Amino acid sequence: MISEVQPSAPDASADASEAGGAPQRRFGYLAVATLLVGLILGIGTGLVVPGLRHPGDDSVEAGFLRDMSTHHAQAVEMAMIAHAGSTNPDVVTLAADIATTQQGQIGYMQSWLRDWDLSPTGTAEPMAWIPGSDGSIVNGLMPGMATPEQMAALRKATGKDLDVQFLTLMRAHHVGGVHMAQEGVELSGNENVDWIAESMVTAQQGEIQLIDSLLKKAQAS
């Protein structure tokens, strides 16, 4: 006689495993999904937030960098004129230092504007980034800048006259530049702008003292 095969009883342990495994798997999927969402949001924030932190087109920082680039450009031109035409070694050395330093600073300032996706020039009036600065602009020129007539005379000058004109114009130029840089330090909230503005104040104040000494010697010769 063939014995009847009794159906085996359900495996209680397997059911328990499956019953407990489903919630665990669901928790695992949820954890992975949460991590992925966090990663995506983190990447998005990393890409977006720095852009939001960049100074805007009408910011103090953008205005300062644009105006100081223009201010520096004239100083570099004056320095190159003196470097090429002066026969005074001290004046030639000073002119080289000014041209090299300020051209390098122009490079920094223009690079930051590009990094911020801003134009190197703006539509705002010069010095508009400084509250109440309307009286600082004379004939469209920022503080200390030489007039077109003064620049033309400097290009024609030779000998002692060249040295005296250059030192006189550069002293006024530095005084105006220091004023602008001090305003930049006070008004800006950007660490790069603060750093370069403070560097300008320190360097140009020191050069003003040297210019005074050289000017006195040139005038007495």
Side-chain angles (χ1 to χ4, degrees):
M1 175 183 291
I2 300 174
S3 61
E4 294 182 3
V5 177
Q6 298 295 327
S8 58
D11 189 339
S13 63
D15 289 347
S17 175
E18 290 179 3
Q24 290 177 0
R25 285 195 295 271
R26 285 196 296 271
F27 177 79
Y29 297 151
L30 179 61
V32 171
T34 301
L35 288 174
L36 288 174
V37 171
L39 178 61
I40 292 170
L41 288 176
I43 293 174
T45 301
L47 293 174
V48 174
V49 170
L52 296 177
R53 290 176 180 169
H54 288 167
D57 192 58
D58 59 350
S59 65
V60 166
E61 290 80 10
F64 171 78
L65 296 182
R66 288 164 173 161
D67 283 355
M68 191 57 82
S69 292
T70 300
H71 203 271
H72 270 24
Q74 188 185 70
V76 171
E77 182 181 359
M78 291 194 294
M80 294 303 294
I81 292 171
H83 186 269
S86 178
T87 58
N88 184 323
D90 292 332
V91 172
V92 171
T93 298
L94 172 64
D97 289 344
I98 291 172
T100 302
T101 300
Q102 298 208 13
Q103 188 61 51
Q105 290 175 341
I106 290 173
Y108 276 113
M109 294 187 288
Q110 294 296 297
S111 175
W112 292 331
L113 288 169
R114 288 194 300 271
D115 289 344
W116 301 341
D117 294 324
L118 299 179
S119 169
T121 58
T123 57
E125 293 295 320
M127 308 285 284
W129 52 276
I130 302 178
S133 63
D134 295 346
S136 300
I137 305 299
V138 180
N139 296 323
L141 298 173
M142 288 177 278
M145 291 188 70
T147 65
E149 294 75 19
Q150 289 172 322
M151 290 298 296
L154 180 64
R155 295 186 191 99
K156 296 177 182 178
T158 58
K160 172 183 174 179
D161 189 35
L162 170 61
D163 295 338
V164 171
Q165 285 192 46
F166 167 68
L167 293 170
T168 301
L169 292 175
M170 189 59 76
R171 188 188 193 285
H173 204 276
H174 272 11
V175 170
V178 167
H179 166 70
M180 291 173 61
Q182 288 172 331
E183 291 288 345
V185 173
E186 181 176 348
L187 298 174
S188 171
N190 181 277
E191 61 181 6
N192 287 330
V193 172
D194 289 345
W195 166 74
I196 202 166
E198 289 169 354
S199 299
M200 291 172 188
V201 171
T202 300
Q204 293 186 32
Q205 284 180 335
E207 286 175 346
I208 287 172
Q209 295 180 0
L210 177 57
I211 288 171
D212 286 341
S213 175
L214 294 178
L215 188 55
K216 187 179 295 184
K217 291 178 181 178
Q219 290 171 332
S221 63

